[in-house]
Amino acid sequence: MKVLKDGEEWKLVLGDGNPATVKALNPSEISTNAAVDYYRLSGVQYGTVLIGGDAFSVGSSHSATIKGWQDTGINGVEAKNKYEIVEDVWNGWKDWSVPEKIYGNSSENNSKTWYSRTFDGIPPGSGYHIRITGLTQPQGYGASGAGNVYVN
């Protein structure tokens, strides 16, 4: 591996020495977004509350982003769910985000139709979960879906 000193910084250079390859493999910024939790819902009806099973940590970005899909599978019935970030504390759940209501059906097989929401103002720490509340109307219809939580 090739390591260069650039001013006060040390840089690891990837590639075979060809300037085009080195430029392609060494972007000026690298995203550190990582999926930290996967959630799935199936037939969630109005008023049902789900808590994502895996706890995750939030770092110095003070934010978490969810990306996913939801669908009722029924023409004319729109999926509606409320998503929020909560912390597992000794006496229950502490809310850490402004709830985001997401309306509309999106396709599991077409990521261009998926929703994406970012929750800001979350203190660095661990023990966070995604909480999903079913809002699909009329009563008796449920929404299914899945998604990931990403943090920096």
Side-chain angles (χ1 to χ4, degrees):
M1 290 191 187
K2 189 173 184 179
V3 179
L4 298 173
K5 186 167 186 181
D6 181 12
E8 294 298 314
E9 298 179 341
W10 287 94
K11 297 185 177 182
L12 175 65
V13 180
L14 304 175
D16 57 9
N18 179 314
T21 304
V22 170
K23 183 176 181 181
L25 293 174
N26 294 279
S28 59
E29 291 184 19
I30 296 174
S31 173
T32 58
N33 281 351
V36 294
D37 188 17
Y38 171 78
Y39 55 89
R40 186 160 196 86
L41 46 145
S42 180
V44 174
Q45 295 189 11
Y46 187 88
T48 301
V49 177
L50 301 174
I51 302 288
D54 295 329
F56 58 89
S57 297
V58 172
S60 60
S61 70
H62 300 274
S63 68
T65 299
I66 59 171
K67 294 180 182 180
W69 64 275
Q70 61 182 25
D71 191 4
T72 63
I74 302 166
N75 278 340
V77 179
E78 182 180 59
K80 298 175 188 164
N81 292 297
K82 178 172 66 171
Y83 297 83
E84 53 198 317
I85 305 297
V86 296
E87 182 182 14
D88 189 358
V89 294
W90 70 273
N91 61 345
W93 300 101
K94 183 173 184 173
D95 298 346
W96 276 111
S97 67
V98 173
E100 286 280 346
K101 293 179 183 176
I102 299 175
Y103 301 93
N105 294 330
S106 48
S107 171
E108 176 180 11
N109 299 318
N110 184 356
S111 61
K112 291 180 182 178
T113 67
W114 292 9
Y115 59 81
S116 177
R117 299 292 190 279
T118 298
F119 301 96
D120 294 314
I122 304 167
S126 60
Y128 294 106
H129 293 261
I130 185 82
R131 178 169 58 200
I132 304 161
T133 304
L135 300 175
T136 301
Q137 291 279 5
Q139 295 283 354
Y141 290 96
S144 296
N148 289 307
V149 179
Y150 298 88
V151 297
N152 280 346

